[in-house]
Amino acid sequence: MTNFFTKYATWKSILILLGLNLIINVVLFPLFQAASPNAIPLDLQFSYSPEKAYQLLANFSSEELKNYMLVELTLDVAYPVIYGLLLAFLIFKLSQKTALAILPIIVLFLDYLENIGIVTLIHYYPQKLTTIATITSLFTSLKWSLVVVSVVVILVLAMKKIIVKKQPS
C-alpha cells in the first residue's frame, strides 16, 4: 500500500481529485437535490432510526425514489473513490504514514456498505426492513465519524507543517 501512495499521492493527483470533488458537490449533487427539494437523502444524515429512515423516504415520490436509487448506483459509486482518495492522498502527502492514510480508505468502504443498504431500503420500499435500516444507519454514522477524523488529521498535519516551516533553523 505504501508503494501505491508513494506513486499516486502527488499534488497533481490531489488537485485533480479536488476538482472532481468540487464538480460533484457544486454541480451534480445539487442537480439531484433540486429535483427532490422536499426530500433529504439518508446519506446526508449523521444517524437515523428505522422510523426516521422511512419518514425521510416517504418524502420522495416514486419517481424521485427511482432517481435516488440511480444516483446511489452511479454517481455515488464514483464519489467515495474520489473523496476517499483525496483525503488519503492529503494525509499521506502531509505525514508519509500509510497507517494514517488508510483511514479514508475505510471511509470509502463504509460509504459503499451504506449505499448498498440505502439501495436495498429503496428497492423494497414501502416494505420496512428495520434491521437493514439500523445497520445502514450504523454505516452512515461510522462513515461521517471517520470523515471528521480524517479532516481533523489533515488540519493537524497541515498546522504542524506550517509551524515547523515558521520556526527558525
Side-chain angles (χ1 to χ4, degrees), residues 10-79:
T10 64
W11 289 114
K12 180 181 177 183
S13 295
I14 290 168
L15 287 174
I16 291 168
L17 290 166
L18 181 62
L20 291 171
N21 192 46
L22 287 171
I23 290 167
I24 290 171
N25 281 297
V26 175
V27 178
L28 299 177
F29 280 147
L31 284 174
F32 167 71
Q33 190 61 36
S36 306
N38 298 321
I40 301 169
L42 296 174
D43 319 56
L44 299 183
Q45 303 296 303
F46 178 78
S47 176
Y48 43 87
S49 65
E51 296 78 24
K52 177 71 173 179
Y54 284 102
Q55 285 174 356
L56 292 170
L57 291 177
N59 290 328
F60 289 88
S61 69
S62 61
E63 190 62 35
E64 290 170 335
L65 280 174
K66 288 178 190 170
N67 289 337
Y68 186 10
M69 186 183 293
L70 180 64
V71 169
E72 290 296 309
L73 293 171
T74 55
L75 183 59
D76 215 13
V77 170
Y79 183 58

Side-chain angles (χ1 to χ4, degrees), residues 83 103-112 143 146-147 150:
Y83 81 78
L103 195 60
I105 305 303
I106 295 168
V107 173
L108 184 157
F109 288 107
L110 288 168
D111 202 330
Y112 283 152
K143 173 193 81 172
L146 290 181
V147 165
S150 296

Side-chain angles (χ1 to χ4, degrees), residues 42 54 57 65 68-69 72-73 112-133 135-136 139:
L42 296 174
Y54 284 102
L57 291 177
L65 280 174
Y68 186 10
M69 186 183 293
E72 290 296 309
L73 293 171
Y112 283 152
L113 292 170
E114 172 196 48
N115 294 348
I116 291 167
I118 291 170
V119 166
T120 303
L121 294 175
I122 294 169
H123 179 74
Y124 287 99
Y125 185 81
Q127 181 182 348
K128 294 185 177 177
L129 307 173
T130 56
T131 302
I132 300 294
I135 293 167
T136 302
F139 291 141

